[in-house]
Amino acid sequence: MSDTAKIVIGGAAHDLPIVVGTEGDRAVDITKLRVTTGHVTLDEGYANTGSCRSAITFVDGEKGILRYRGIPIEQLAMNSTFVETCWLLIYGRLPTQEQLKTWSGLFTRYEMIHEGLYKHFDGFPPTGHPMAILSAMINAGSCYEPDMMEMESDTTFQVAAARLISKIRTIAAASYKASIGQPIVYPKPHLDYCSNFLHMMFSLPYRDYEPDPDSVAALQMILILHADHEQNCSSSTVRMVASSGANMFASCAAGVCALWGRLHGGANAAVVEMLQQLHDQRVDLKEYVTLVKGKESPVRLMGFGHRVYKQYDPRATILKEVADRLLGRLKRPDPLLEIAKRLEDVALNDPYFIERRLYPNVDFYSGVILRAMGIPVNMFTVMFAMGRMPGWIANWKEVHNGAIALYRPRQVYVGEPERRYVPIHERSAAGESGRESGR
Ligand code: CMC
């Protein structure tokens, strides 16, 4: 195969180098295209655009492969912990025993948030969405960590990364407690990452919550599976913000906002809302699938389809098993899990889904698992954010340490051509000058 591509514009041919990744993925390098031809490429939604070279995560959507730093997700899910996976993503290799001990120690040391920061929770109304609170609090956190703003040494970076991953769990649980009018629960240093989070979510001043080992294991799995996913919307946002030189807190707060939307991290909550509605209104699942297929229908089958995976999402395979295991132990089976499985069956046998290669994604089963742990639906995307934090930090680090210029895409302008400024007394309510007055 040729190592250059050729593009012919206005009769003139231009050679463009081909860049080949570790796994054989190939990209046409257009870095010099505008300078040499005066043209830019147009790829709305970036489905064909490689925005960077990254050594963090590999996804093969055709084969259903996901690897963090080369290690298959199935092996990490089976053997690793979230804290260890964070190190792997951020540093590119598995930690030694000593490194893991120091790293975990930092999580414990920095698990509290500044007392001043707790007061911010009083400023949010109880109806405030936890994602808004989370993003605001991560940004506000930087005001309490001024020494973390300049990452001048590896040690400062390591402490900042551990602080952020540790504190996001304290902030998340505190925002939940504030929203239900209960006193905020402080972390306990002897508990592991996941148990500590569940303790802060569900303990009361007069009664300690005893985390159930199955829930702790399921949470661990969810966090590992969400820890990174190459250039998804929120990680690309983090990189974009980082490229301006913004600090890690500001960049990750922006990542939280990008994650919030229903087509990205918000899908896990949307799936459970959909399943609940199907259950409560006893909707016929075949009819529902017909509804989501409609060209004019505003409804999509939430938790199905993926920009990259044209196969079963490997994370969904693992989560389906976890859901079966965790929910199988409940005294009363969760009807939403049964509906999810039947819905999956209907969709996977439907020509619309087969032709478009739409399969369950990570969000299809994660919601029912979180529900079984007692996590409220409006906290689901917060859980995703907790999991994705190491991925955001690894991406931030790659941009911060690299010689990458400011991320600043071009556009094709399709607005008005140059025209005259119309003084206000000459404008009419409608027509040409009316449009001008609305600008
Ligand atoms: N239900 C019904 N139709 C769908 C769905 C769906 N869930 N997903 C895609 N399609 C159809 C779509 O209408 C289009 O049909 P046509 O070719 O006739 O116009 C075709 O499949 C291709 O869809 P697309 O929107 O062009 O594909 P995309 O790569 O831009 O979208 C997606 C990917 C995830 C936004 C989309 O599949 C979707 O909206 N899924 C539901 C929301 C969801 O579950 N999001 C979580 C994504 S995974 C976790 C994460 O990234 O955060």
Side-chain angles (χ1 to χ4, degrees):
M1 220 181 284
S2 152
D3 283 331
T4 52
K6 205 175 279 301
I7 186 168
V8 180
I9 299 177
H14 305 268
D15 284 337
L16 300 168
I18 303 274
V19 177
V20 184
T22 322
E23 296 292 335
D25 30 347
R26 300 173 73 82
V28 180
D29 181 350
I30 55 145
T31 327
K32 302 246 163 21
L33 185 70
R34 199 181 65 83
V35 174
T36 50
T37 71
H39 290 66
V40 295
T41 54
L42 180 63
D43 182 22
E44 292 182 79
Y46 307 139
N48 305 286
T49 296
S51 64
C52 59
R53 291 169 217 230
S54 175
I56 305 168
T57 290
F58 173 70
V59 177
D60 183 332
E62 296 298 321
K63 297 193 184 129
I65 293 173
L66 168 60
R67 297 183 200 135
Y68 297 162
R69 299 288 189 179
I71 303 179
I73 193 65
E74 294 79 6
Q75 291 181 26
L76 291 167
M78 185 76 83
N79 303 304
S80 190
T81 61
F82 178 60
V83 173
E84 182 184 64
T85 299
C86 292
W87 175 281
L88 170 71
L89 281 168
I90 293 169
Y91 288 104
R93 57 187 187 278
L94 288 167
T96 61
Q97 269 183 8
E98 200 51 40
Q99 286 167 332
L100 188 57
K101 198 167 153 227
T102 309
W103 182 236
S104 302
L106 289 175
F107 279 50
T108 306
R109 182 156 163 209
Y110 295 112
E111 62 192 2
M112 293 273 288
I113 54 175
H114 192 286
E115 223 22 60
L117 204 51
Y118 279 114
K119 296 198 173 61
H120 289 242
F121 288 106
D122 298 338
F124 294 104
T127 47
H129 196 286
M131 285 297 273
I133 299 175
L134 185 68
S135 170
M137 294 297 264
I138 290 174
N139 230 338
S142 66
C143 307
Y144 293 86
E145 326 263 357
D147 50 323
M148 298 285 116
M149 305 293 267
E150 305 296 330
M151 300 287 177
E152 273 157 9
S153 72
D154 291 348
T155 312
T156 325
F157 167 76
Q158 184 173 127
V159 170
R163 275 185 177 186
L164 201 41
I165 304 170
S166 184
K167 285 177 199 294
I168 187 177
R169 135 194 88 158
T170 313
I171 295 171
S175 67
Y176 170 61
K177 286 294 195 188
S179 76
I180 56 168
Q182 283 186 5
I184 285 166
V185 175
Y186 285 67
K188 284 192 170 171
H190 68 276
L191 292 176
D192 63 66
Y193 190 91
C194 295
S195 307
N196 215 346
F197 172 72
L198 294 173
H199 151 70
M200 288 188 276
M201 284 286 288
F202 301 123
S203 284
L204 291 165
Y206 53 86
R207 192 178 61 232
D208 264 1
Y209 170 82
E210 290 299 328
D212 138 58
D214 292 332
S215 295
V216 174
L219 178 57
Q220 179 106 265
M221 190 72 89
I222 285 189
L223 297 181
I224 292 173
L225 296 179
H226 284 83
D228 197 38
H229 208 246
E230 55 121 286
Q231 298 314 310
N232 58 86
C233 177
S234 56
S235 300
S236 298
T237 302
V238 169
R239 289 184 85 104
M240 171 77 84
V241 178
S243 80
S244 75
N247 68 70
M248 193 197 284
F249 291 82
S251 306
C252 292
V256 172
C257 295
L259 186 72
W260 192 355
R262 281 170 79 86
L263 296 186
H264 189 15
N268 56 10
V271 169
V272 165
E273 281 158 6
M274 172 186 76
L275 296 173
Q276 189 71 57
Q277 193 191 352
L278 296 176
H279 173 260
D280 296 349
Q281 298 174 7
R282 297 171 191 277
V283 177
D284 180 277
L285 300 186
K286 285 201 171 131
E287 276 176 25
Y288 189 70
V289 168
T290 306
L291 173 74
V292 302
K293 293 188 296 184
K295 259 277 168 250
E296 303 307 319
S297 169
V299 190
R300 280 195 164 188
L301 186 53
M302 299 311 287
F304 255 74
H306 198 277
R307 175 59 65 81
V308 181
Y309 291 118
K310 302 301 163 201
Q311 256 277 7
Y312 213 102
D313 181 335
R315 301 165 300 173
T317 312
I318 299 170
L319 287 177
K320 190 176 179 185
E321 281 170 30
V322 175
D324 270 334
R325 227 179 10 250
L326 185 70
L327 277 75
R329 292 185 187 147
L330 296 177
K331 288 195 191 80
R332 272 186 303 136
D334 184 349
L336 299 200
L337 177 61
E338 288 317 305
I339 294 176
K341 285 189 189 168
R342 283 196 284 124
L343 192 57
E344 176 190 333
D345 198 47
V346 174
L348 290 185
N349 285 300
D350 190 295
Y352 173 97
F353 286 84
I354 297 169
E355 280 156 22
R356 288 169 182 74
R357 304 175 71 191
L358 303 170
Y359 292 88
N361 60 48
V362 68
D363 294 312
F364 197 66
Y365 286 104
S366 62
V368 275
I369 299 172
L370 292 171
R371 206 170 102 96
M373 286 179 205
I375 309 283
V377 175
N378 69 351
M379 285 290 289
F380 284 8
T381 314
V382 170
M383 308 301 296
F384 194 153
M386 273 172 58
R388 188 53 54 91
M389 187 54 87
W392 290 336
I393 293 174
N395 275 283
W396 182 89
K397 183 170 177 252
E398 220 170 46
V399 175
H400 183 78
N401 291 353
I404 297 163
L406 178 74
Y407 280 29
R408 203 312 190 174
R410 293 278 175 158
Q411 64 168 16
V412 175
Y413 175 70
V414 294
E416 303 283 356
E418 183 179 353
R419 55 194 175 137
R420 176 179 85 84
Y421 174 82
V422 181
I424 197 160
H425 61 272
E426 290 177 24
R427 298 173 208 162
S428 63
E432 187 65 14
S433 50
R435 287 218 314 278
E436 282 162 349
S437 68
R439 274 164 202 274

